[in-house]
Amino acid sequence: MFESVSIVIVFVAIIFVVQTVKVVPQQHAWVVERLGKYHSTLGPGLSIVLPFVDRVAYKHVLKEIPLDVPPQVCITRDNTQLNVDGILYFQVTDAMRASYGSSNYIAAITQLAQTTLRSVIGKMELDKTFEERDHINTTIVNAIDESAQNWGVKVLRYEIKDLTPPKEILHAMQAQITAEREKRALIAASEGRQQEQINIASGERAASIAKSEGEMQASINRAQGQAAAILAIATASAEAIRKTASAIREPGGIDAVNLKVAEQYVTAFANLAKTNNSIIVPANLGDMSGLIATAMQVVKSQNKAG
């Protein structure tokens, strides 16, 4: 009998301890009700509650939770059907609100995400839905988060996984993309040809300029060479004239000049007589005889001097 009572006492003690001591895991929150009314929220670690008076009514995970939003058909502004699905990331921030704010906050978030998505897609044209994914995601997060605060939930982000239009629209879009690519290819080719012609023209222009500059420099060099030659000849002629004049001013210089002129005069007429059948007679024979006489006189003077 005593052993039976002991077993009962031990059993009751175990139950008492189990009902009294609560160990909450990390990133969890437990909502405790006392006599059916909210009493407290237990955080991670060891907690003591009153057995048979307090009870753990709700257990919440405080980690970030991914939630698949079922695919649905949305109609765009230009009356095109789109099959859209996504994934929502949320986190419980207030265990008490998550317990009593909604009977099922996960279902509420899912439904709100779907209705908001249909509303956002309905305001956009088909092409914009593919370009404005970030805008769609941000709009849905802001709309859901505003309502989810009453449920103790923080919506972190929403991502569209897939946007699938009907097959006919896909074929039309593919044809449009192909045409656009061909157009860009033609434009690129024409721009390449245009640039090629520009480069060729620029090269020819540069070559013409270089050639003209070379010819101009060559002309300048030739002119400078001719000028230098003329200057050298003029300098030599002037020097010869100065030396001749200096020699003439010396004693016997005039006689030497007369003798030289007479010799050249006679030689010139002799050469003309050899190359021409006609007889050439000087216009003034008296001048010629006088010149010869002067020359002979100079010769005689030199012989005497010798």
Side-chain angles (χ1 to χ4, degrees):
M1 182 68 180
F2 179 76
E3 292 180 358
S4 300
V5 174
S6 300
I7 293 173
V8 171
I9 293 173
V10 172
F11 181 74
V12 171
I14 292 174
I15 294 176
F16 184 83
V17 171
V18 171
Q19 292 293 327
T20 303
V21 178
K22 302 295 182 183
V23 178
V24 181
Q26 184 67 32
Q27 287 295 89
H28 286 69
W30 292 0
V31 175
V32 176
E33 292 180 350
R34 177 168 292 178
L35 299 177
K37 183 180 179 181
Y38 171 77
H39 174 66
S40 63
T41 301
L42 303 181
L46 182 66
S47 300
I48 305 297
V49 299
L50 296 178
F52 309 107
V53 177
D54 297 338
R55 75 180 184 92
V56 177
Y58 300 96
K59 295 181 180 181
H60 297 285
V61 178
L62 303 182
K63 300 176 183 179
E64 183 176 334
I65 301 174
L67 176 64
D68 280 324
V69 179
Q72 61 175 334
V73 176
C74 301
I75 299 177
T76 63
R77 185 178 179 181
D78 50 357
N79 296 323
T80 302
Q81 293 185 350
L82 279 178
N83 192 23
V84 186
D85 63 344
I87 184 169
L88 183 69
Y89 297 87
F90 71 93
Q91 187 177 22
V92 176
T93 56
D94 190 335
M96 191 271 287
R97 287 179 178 271
S99 301
Y100 303 106
S102 174
S103 60
N104 189 341
Y105 61 84
I106 293 180
I109 292 175
T110 302
Q111 293 297 322
L112 187 57
Q114 289 183 316
T115 56
T116 305
L117 179 61
R118 287 196 296 268
S119 176
V120 174
I121 294 294
K123 297 177 182 178
M124 305 174 67
E125 296 181 353
L126 177 62
D127 294 339
K128 291 295 183 180
T129 58
F130 297 97
E131 300 174 1
E132 301 292 340
R133 284 199 176 194
D134 291 339
H135 172 69
I136 296 173
N137 297 337
T138 303
T139 303
I140 293 174
V141 168
N142 293 336
I144 299 176
D145 189 52
E146 183 178 356
S147 300
Q149 291 178 359
N150 298 325
W151 307 330
V153 175
K154 173 67 176 177
V155 178
L156 302 176
R157 58 190 179 278
Y158 178 85
E159 297 291 341
I160 294 177
K161 292 195 297 183
D162 196 13
L163 286 171
T164 307
K167 293 182 179 180
E168 296 79 7
I169 301 297
L170 283 176
H171 292 323
M173 292 175 64
Q174 186 64 38
Q176 181 181 2
I177 293 173
T178 302
E180 185 66 24
R181 288 177 178 174
E182 292 176 353
K183 175 184 175 182
R184 288 199 297 265
L186 292 175
I187 292 174
S190 63
E191 290 177 350
R193 290 193 296 270
Q194 179 185 10
Q195 188 62 42
E196 179 184 4
Q197 296 298 323
I198 292 174
N199 293 339
I200 293 175
S202 299
E204 293 178 350
R205 178 175 176 271
S208 299
I209 292 174
K211 182 179 179 181
S212 63
E213 290 178 351
E215 293 176 351
M216 180 181 68
Q217 188 62 41
S219 300
I220 292 173
N221 293 339
R222 286 194 297 270
Q224 290 177 347
Q226 293 174 358
I230 292 172
L231 180 61
I233 294 173
T235 302
S237 299
E239 184 65 23
I241 291 172
R242 283 194 297 270
K243 290 183 178 181
T244 303
S246 178
I248 290 173
R249 285 194 297 269
E250 294 180 357
I254 296 298
D255 295 336
V257 171
N258 291 332
L259 177 60
K260 187 66 176 178
V261 171
E263 291 177 353
Q264 291 179 354
Y265 193 77
V266 173
T267 301
F269 274 100
N271 291 333
L272 288 174
K274 291 179 180 179
T275 57
N276 198 341
N277 293 327
S278 300
I279 298 175
I280 299 174
V281 179
N284 191 345
L285 295 176
D287 291 341
M288 183 178 178
S289 60
L291 183 62
I292 294 173
T294 301
M296 293 300 296
Q297 184 65 33
V298 171
V299 173
K300 290 178 179 181
S301 297
Q302 290 179 351
N303 291 333
K304 289 179 180 181

